[in-house]
Amino acid sequence: MKKIISYTIQSVQDYCRTFSCCFKTGFSSLNIMTPLNRLSRLWLRCWRQSLAMPLMFGVILMAGYTANAQKTEPGKNIRGIIPIKTPLKGNGTAGHGIDGDAFAHKTAGYENVGDLFDAEHPTKTGHGLLHPFIPEVFYRPTLPGESPKPQIPVTIQLADGVEKTDKTIFATDAKINMNPNDYLWKAGAPPSKNEIQNCGVHFEYGDSSILGGDPNGPSTGRFLGVDTDLWCLFAGDRQFNDGSSYLDFEFLQASLTMEGAIEGDPNLVTGVRPITGGSGKFASEGPHGGRTMGDLLVTIEFTIGGEFANIIINKWSFIKNDSKGKPIYEYVLQDNEDPLLKNAIFCTNNTELTHVPFNAFDRFDPVAQLYYYEENQWAEGAINLTKLFDLNNKPCFVLSTVFIRTRTSGSSGSSQLKDFPGKPIQLNLDLRKLKIVCATDPKLPECSTSAAIEAAYNTWVAGFTNSGGAAPVGTNIGDIPKLTDLPACGGQLSFTYEVTDLCHEDPLTCTSTFTLDKDLTKPVITPPTDYSLTGCNTDWPTTVSATWTDNCGIGGLKLGNVAGVAGAVQTSTDG
């Protein structure tokens, strides 16, 4: 009986919050930019709650229970400033506001930090991650083929279509603990509560000059950034806000890709190629049941009728061996209140109508000429990956993939994956920090002096450098060619620089070439002046002088001890 009554109390709380939310959405948030037909939609959405409230309260009173307001669990819904280097502000101040409104400057206490986009200063690059009016992502990675891989900072936005038939949904019974190699995908129609259209992630390092935490909270909750901490900001939406729904951001150390996709031209805003058709499966390189031990599953929980969105952290873990000795792995719920994770997890949702500069499920405000989200339809968050992955103790860590998708519930064992907005994001962010720098390719003209050649060579050798990496770090700089290996009349010295460390089985390499243009011009010798000799060949001069000219200059020659030796000369070349 207690269980039944307890459930009744919770249900009433949900109905109360839902009706309160509906009331606030329908009236207190109305303004001149709000479409008038929202009132009719409001009543259609809320009439059941209004009729059910008296009945539910009567049940509670007869049972002798008092309904208490539900409290958000501590640590699950935390607003605050994330102390990171980008997005930048015009005054040089950095940081990002996790305040739910998606706009810089819009919430008291968050006036001097960046946000998803910036409505007040759209012409100053860097105030947000997305430009509010033109198709631009400020920290967008270059398209495949234009760059080896994304570099930090980087922002990746995915935008799913709003067609009746979604191009990418999970095709079969796909649960979060299944091996991703068993997932199938196709086109279809996901449940409306699990429909996602816009989402994205932003990766950036901390800034020790920025004060983080909630500016409207107690001072004990403020903290300075750490330059070596890697943060991920994430955000996403849902089609309807009248039920509970779950949005996953899965951070994988091994590559996860999808097969069978037909891709269109790159989206002008995001730089990402949309999926226009196809079907297929997924391919994971994860060694532990399709994932890697320690992989993270970060979930935004939109609660039914709730005021706040929560954040749930799961970690891929070994559970036990089955009867045949095969290891079983599952996602294990983490304690958000772990002291080691203090100031490492933030998440909240929008609490009022929010205009956005991109399509939001075709909700368009003709007055503002912008799309909009209703309250509790959009959420944003941030996690400190350095803390959650314990990166300070993992010098060889690589973050390969982020997979964004929706699911049906918050229960790890029964959650069904439903919709995903695009291909898993291939990051391949190498956080090992081993960097290699090659010398520039020097090229000296053919007539360079010996001193100039030697100086240029020494500069070339010093130009091969490296930094970071996990000790021991080794190089092959001792094998660089010597200057004496350069051909006498000019040529090239080529060197491939190799650097290894604890984490790299294969060395990082780069090649540079030292070039001295060859001197292929022959000198021209001017014969000596005719001598008038007398006697019987007894007055030969001891030396005879001559001159030469060349592309590298003019010089002289002395023909020595030529007496009695016709044509015997001492010659010289210019090298």
Side-chain angles (χ1 to χ4, degrees), residues 443-453 488-490 515-521 548 550-554 574-575:
K443 186 175 182 180
L444 282 71
E446 57 188 10
C447 297
S448 299
T449 64
S450 297
I453 295 172
C489 289
T515 302
L516 173 62
D517 286 344
K518 291 183 178 181
D519 181 5
L520 301 178
T521 303
W548 58 265
D550 186 62
N551 58 314
C552 293
I554 300 176
D574 64 345

Side-chain angles (χ1 to χ4, degrees), residues 41-118:
R41 298 203 311 269
L42 171 68
W43 172 246
L44 290 176
R45 193 171 66 227
C46 304
W47 68 270
R48 292 182 180 87
Q49 288 89 327
S50 63
L51 295 178
M53 284 175 63
L55 176 60
M56 289 298 183
F57 275 118
V59 172
I60 294 172
L61 292 175
M62 288 187 292
Y65 278 78
T66 302
N68 296 318
Q70 181 185 6
K71 295 181 180 179
T72 303
E73 291 186 39
K76 281 197 170 185
N77 181 275
I78 305 176
R79 296 170 179 249
I81 295 170
I82 311 304
I84 54 178
K85 293 181 172 64
T86 61
L88 297 175
K89 294 290 295 170
N91 58 7
T93 302
H96 185 99
I98 301 298
D99 50 5
D101 62 5
F103 277 96
H105 319 303
K106 288 296 184 181
T107 306
Y110 295 84
E111 297 91 346
N112 296 317
V113 293
D115 214 317
L116 183 69
F117 40 86
D118 189 329

Side-chain angles (χ1 to χ4, degrees), residues 20 25 29 46 129 152 166 262 291-292 389 393 457 462 474 513:
S20 173
T25 302
S29 296
C46 304
L129 303 178
I152 299 172
D166 196 307
I262 301 172
R291 296 181 176 88
T292 306
F389 273 115
N393 294 314
Y457 172 81
T513 302

Side-chain angles (χ1 to χ4, degrees), residues 9-42:
I9 294 174
Q10 179 63 46
S11 299
V12 172
Q13 291 166 5
D14 288 340
Y15 273 99
C16 291
R17 285 197 310 272
T18 302
F19 185 74
S20 173
C21 177
C22 291
F23 185 86
K24 182 169 59 177
T25 302
F27 297 96
S28 63
S29 296
L30 285 176
N31 54 57
I32 192 171
M33 296 186 296
T34 305
L36 295 177
N37 63 4
R38 289 186 60 205
L39 289 175
S40 59
R41 298 203 311 269
L42 171 68

Side-chain angles (χ1 to χ4, degrees), residues 3 14 135 156 161 172 224 272 285 330 347 357 407 478 515:
K3 291 183 178 179
D14 288 340
I156 301 100
T172 57
L224 284 173
V272 176
E285 297 179 1
E330 292 180 359
C347 182
R407 55 189 170 107
T515 302

Side-chain angles (χ1 to χ4, degrees), residues 382-404:
I383 56 173
N384 187 323
L385 290 173
T386 297
K387 286 188 176 183
L388 268 68
F389 273 115
D390 191 22
L391 297 186
N392 290 329
N393 294 314
K394 296 178 181 177
C396 300
F397 184 88
V398 174
L399 183 60
S400 292
T401 304
V402 175
F403 190 19
I404 306 175

